[in-house]
Every structure is written in structure tokens, then in C-alpha cells.
Amino acid sequence: MINTKAQPASAHESATLTASGFDDLPNIDADQIQPIDVESLIAPNDPRHAPKILVLYGSVRARSFSRLAAEESSRLLRWYGCEVRMFDPSGLPLPDDVDSDHPKVQELRQLAQWSEGMLWVSPERHGSITSIMKAQIDWIPLSLGGVRPTQGKTLALMQVSGGSQSFNTVNQMRILGRWMRMITIPNQSSIPKAFLEFNENNRMDMSPLYLRLVDVCEELVKFTWLTRGRSAYLTDRYSERVESAEELSNRVNQKSL
């Protein structure tokens, strides 16, 4: 849910921006959850459409707890007024095993370009992120021509574990997010013994772990509103400006063949 003084949106935008009630969020305390105060986060000329969030998860199991956590988060992100899309990694080839024109690769890359922020949810396997999660990240290039599909976009991180609580996976994904020049929010979520946290209806039970999941979603939305209107300026680098000037000079001044 958002709180903004923007001019009336189109019918499609209004439908997107209208947050659902709490029927699908049984653990939420309606008296305590707060809509996003957009006006405190943006400048007058910043974009006011619904934040576009891509959700990735790292398992293709029939009952995937990373997918369940991703779905739980997606419900919350939609309540906070976001347009949310989730990528299904099933059928995604190994990186470099096929050409990049493979339909699943193209789907993922188009979603990455569409998004303004991302949420990554991975299981921990052998003390690390899963190969399924890493394959998705590896298929998102650092640049597509002159476009960097991840630079300046926000990122939130979550992990699920079968055993005791660990932060190996979120820490490794944080490194990857930094490498991809994303604005990774401070908060994160780690759900230990995930099989005990989701009930027979595949919904997360109320607990401090659920409260942290809500915190992460709320913070992701706030940071996306705050930074997306100025992400190009925030990620503008002196070294790249110098390099670009040198490349231009070399090209212009090269001898004729």
C-alpha cells in the first residue's frame, strides 16, 4: 500500500497501485502495519508508478521452501503497492550451455531489465547458495550493449535452511549483489528449519522469523522509492567517465587506414 499525492493514474496504474486487504495476510496486525509514505522518500519530479520488483528463488522442488518464502514476500510487496513478477527457474539451462537466445534465458533477462528492484531467496546447500540460484544470477549479464541491467537497482536477500540458522547464503548473495552494482538493503532474512515454519497450506506461520520477513519487504520498497529516481547519478563513476573520454579520444584521433 502506498500513500502518495501524485496526480490520478491511468486505470491500469490505479489497479496496480491499489493494495489488497488483509484477507491473504492472516499474520498481519492491521493496526501496526503502515503504508509507505512516498512523499517522504521522493523528489517532486521522481517517477510515481508502482515499484517493479523481480523475485528469484533457488529451488525447483515440488515443495520448495525458498519458493514459499518468495510467494509470502510477494504478497507483502503487492500490499505495499509494488508490481511483482516471479521467475520460475525450472528449465533454465546451465550458464554457457546454450546460446543466450534460449527462451528461458531471454525471459529472465527481460525481467531483469524490466525490474527496478529484486528479491533473491535461496536455500542453503553445502554451506552456500544453490546452483539453481547461482545459474539465474550468472545468466543476468553485467551489461547488454550499453545497458547495465542491474546497476543501481535495489536488492533484498533471504535464505532458508533445513537446519540451524546460518547467514552463509545471504552473505554470499550480498557479495554478488555488490559485484552486480546493486543497492543491497541492510536488512536480510534467514529462516532456519524452514520445514517447521510453513504449515500444511504452504503459508508461513506467525513468528519472529515472519516479522523479519515483513521488515525486509518493507525496507526493500522504501529503498526502491528512495533511490530509483536518482540511481543513475548514484552509480555515476569518475573512473568510467575518464575511461570513456580516453576511448572517445582514441577513436577520433586514430590514423586513417
Side-chain angles (χ1 to χ4, degrees):
M1 180 176 289
I2 64 175
N3 178 20
T4 177
K5 300 175 183 176
Q7 295 298 315
S10 67
H12 174 72
E13 290 173 333
S14 297
T16 301
L17 296 175
T18 301
S20 62
F22 297 98
D23 292 343
D24 204 30
L25 298 172
N27 295 332
I28 288 296
D29 184 339
D31 294 328
Q32 297 302 322
I33 194 169
Q34 297 178 355
I36 304 300
D37 182 6
V38 174
E39 296 303 320
S40 68
L41 299 171
I42 66 174
N45 295 324
D46 281 351
R48 293 172 178 264
H49 60 272
K52 301 174 182 178
I53 305 297
L54 170 61
V55 180
L56 304 180
Y57 59 91
S59 170
V60 294
R61 295 173 58 190
R63 191 169 190 245
S64 162
F65 293 108
S66 64
R67 189 189 74 246
L68 296 183
E71 291 173 347
E72 202 73 46
S73 300
S74 295
R75 296 181 185 98
L76 287 159
L77 291 169
R78 291 188 179 99
W79 188 89
Y80 280 118
C82 296
E83 183 180 355
V84 182
R85 298 183 186 178
M86 187 181 299
F87 177 72
D88 179 1
S90 182
L92 181 70
L94 290 173
D96 302 324
D97 194 40
V98 298
D99 292 333
S100 61
D101 59 358
H102 187 280
K104 290 295 289 189
V105 176
Q106 284 298 303
E107 178 189 355
L108 175 58
R109 290 188 171 187
Q110 289 168 10
L111 286 172
Q113 288 185 277
W114 164 85
S115 69
E116 297 167 328
M118 296 189 193
L119 170 64
W120 297 350
V121 189
S122 177
E124 179 170 315
R125 181 169 296 171
H126 300 309
S128 180
I129 66 174
T130 62
S131 58
I132 295 168
M133 191 76 221
K134 187 60 163 57
Q136 294 174 82
I137 296 170
D138 285 346
W139 270 121
I140 301 174
L142 291 176
S143 64
L144 285 171
V147 178
R148 297 184 185 273
T150 56
Q151 176 168 277
K153 298 182 179 184
T154 51
L155 173 63
L157 306 171
M158 298 183 182
Q159 75 169 78
V160 296
S161 305
S164 58
Q165 191 168 45
S166 164
F167 299 94
N168 292 328
T169 299
V170 287
N171 288 340
Q172 289 163 355
M173 290 192 294
R174 192 170 291 275
I175 293 172
L176 292 169
R178 183 181 68 199
W179 187 259
M180 297 172 75
R181 299 183 175 182
M182 304 184 76
I183 302 171
T184 308
I185 68 171
N187 216 335
Q188 59 189 25
S189 170
S190 174
I191 305 173
K193 298 182 179 178
F195 61 92
L196 298 178
E197 300 300 324
F198 292 87
N199 58 38
E200 65 278 4
N201 295 318
N202 290 331
R203 297 300 304 271
M204 192 171 182
D205 291 324
M206 180 60 182
S207 72
L209 296 171
Y210 178 81
L211 298 180
R212 174 57 68 88
L213 183 141
V214 178
D215 287 349
V216 172
C217 292
E218 180 182 30
E219 190 170 293
L220 174 61
V221 180
K222 288 178 178 177
F223 269 76
T224 305
W225 278 105
L226 179 66
T227 61
R228 72 174 178 183
R230 51 199 56 83
S231 63
Y233 178 72
L234 289 171
T235 55
D236 184 40
R237 292 172 171 83
Y238 167 76
S239 62
E240 294 181 350
R241 294 195 299 271
V242 170
E243 181 182 18
S244 297
E246 289 179 350
E247 290 175 350
L248 176 61
S249 177
N250 291 335
R251 184 173 71 252
V252 171
N253 295 320
Q254 67 180 344
K255 295 180 179 179
S256 298
L257 296 178

